[in-house]
Amino acid sequence: MMSVALEVRNPYEQLEIEEDVLFFKLGAPGLVCFHGRNYNMKRRMTAEQIERLTAEPAFYRIGQGCYVNVNKISSIENDRLYFGDKGPDSKVILVSKRHQAAIRSMLVHA
């Protein structure tokens, strides 16, 4: 009988941006705050790293320094983006009507 150990990856140690991050916010120069399903973490990044991050096609800018992972949005209701199941523990972020329309269009074409 062969036993297979499931590899559990810790996002604090090995952050995979498109897979782990629901949205992120740019803070003080060189500081990025990542929001995932069960965590929020701040990381220092170089200007080049931030430039690559903000150019990722999976992320859409919804405000000053705030980018959402369009692939992780589960629904858009009442000017809010929901990530995952809706409920008291859901990750939610406010979004303008203009950005909602753009995101809906991206979701339809995905």
Side-chain angles (χ1 to χ4, degrees), residues 21-79:
V21 175
L22 303 177
F23 61 95
F24 66 87
K25 296 179 180 181
L26 304 178
L31 192 63
V32 181
C33 185
F34 293 101
H35 298 263
R37 171 168 263 142
N38 299 320
Y39 64 86
N40 300 326
M41 76 173 87
K42 293 179 182 175
R43 287 252 171 105
R44 289 243 169 250
M45 298 180 86
T46 66
E48 286 176 354
Q49 289 172 316
I50 292 172
E51 195 173 309
R52 280 196 308 271
L53 180 63
T54 57
E56 282 285 330
F59 289 95
Y60 177 78
R61 182 175 171 215
I62 63 165
Q64 185 66 30
C66 184
Y67 295 78
V68 295
N69 187 339
V70 176
N71 301 324
K72 299 293 182 178
I73 296 170
S74 58
S75 65
I76 304 172
E77 294 177 28
N78 302 320
D79 297 337

